[in-house]
Amino acid sequence: MTQPRQEASGVHRAIDAVWRLESPRIIAGVARLVNDLGLAEELAQDALVAALEQWPGSGVPDNPGAWLMAVAKRRAIDAIRRERRLERKIAELGHGLETGAPGTDPEEALDPERIEDDLLRLVFTACHPVLPAPARVALTLRMLGGLTTGEIARAFLTSEATVAQRIVRAKRTLARANVPFEVPAGAERAARLASVLEVIYLIFNEGYAATAGDEWVRADLCREALRLGRVLAGLMPGEAEVHGLVALMEIQASRARARIDPSGEPVPLAEQDRGRWDRLLIHRGFASLLRARALGGPPGPYVLQAAIAACHARAATAEDTDWKQIAGLYELLARTAPSPVVELNRAVAVGMAFGPERGLAIIDALAGEPALRNYHLLPSVRGDLLARLGRTAEAAAEFARAAALTRNAPERRLLRRRADELAARSG
């Protein structure tokens, strides 16, 4: 049964909403049939075109997701037939669609368990390590987030053509590498899951502290990453690191309103009005962290980072922060997942817990680290430690260097302001 004839504009809005919600499931469901991500997306879009053509006249179906899935699967069968492949499967699927046989009925195609399986395959395929990180991010946002190439391009301040090329190349790479549309098992699954989590956290971080542009925070990217993380946690409830990542993002996202002032300028953590932190997100983050810990085993990088975020969330004021516990957690994180950035963050924690001299010693040991050569937070952290030691002229120079390195305009203004204040104080 369909609704009465509707105005075209209302139908188009409905189609847009349905597409954003259902496209990952439809692409995943079709990809399971054709084992080709690019072809699956084309077939899903064929179904979208059919909806745009038919729904303004016939009305929006009662179950638009099932309608789109059925059309996309019929297109898949046609594609398979044209390619003269999988003839036995064609017969089974064609017969199933006509008779409602198990596995091919549109309603059954929206069975929650089957959708979960297909979505999980889509997650692991879009985030395959054979792809470079920018391609994984673009493909994930396109396939799982339902974002257009234009929306992805705006989010990452690049051209639509560049994003389109990344997506096209990613699909070709997956096809050339003959990457199966499946969830790997055993050690390969663990390795691929790390890639999946990395991509989601990359998306979140770009929203949390934009690397470039005129905005310090891009809330839409944070929301999308959080949504993907929650979906993944629902699909893989037995993976502690998935819950750890969700906990980390929930708690960090809770500070969103306090991280910028009314003019859009960044507000450092120590100066934030903690009354503006979102207590619901903190509560959700704590719950995810408890789920991760309940699964047992040694804590992984995301669980440890979530534990650090939880320490900040528990402090009623900046002065109440348990920096010794945070420094201990960073010590553990540095052993579990060593990296120059982790070491940089450990320097901050050690400097707060045990004095700026000890933090500065860690920072100075990183001076020749190639990965941090153009990373603005290295001179920024060093400048902060020098300022606390009263070495204001050196601190001013470090903040000026940090301002010159960042490509984010609000952050540049903040660093420049710190540099000017310290320079004035040093005379």
Side-chain angles (χ1 to χ4, degrees), residues 8-26:
S9 60
V11 173
H12 287 168
R13 283 196 297 274
I15 291 173
D16 184 60
V18 169
W19 180 249
R20 282 190 179 269
L21 185 65
E22 300 291 348
S23 60
R25 296 172 173 81
I26 297 166

Side-chain angles (χ1 to χ4, degrees), residues 5 71 75 77 88 90 129-130 213 239 242 273 285 317 376 406:
R5 185 183 180 88
V71 172
R75 297 288 197 275
I77 292 168
R88 183 172 58 83
I90 293 170
V130 74
E239 293 289 346
V242 176
D273 176 1
T317 67
H376 67 285
T406 184

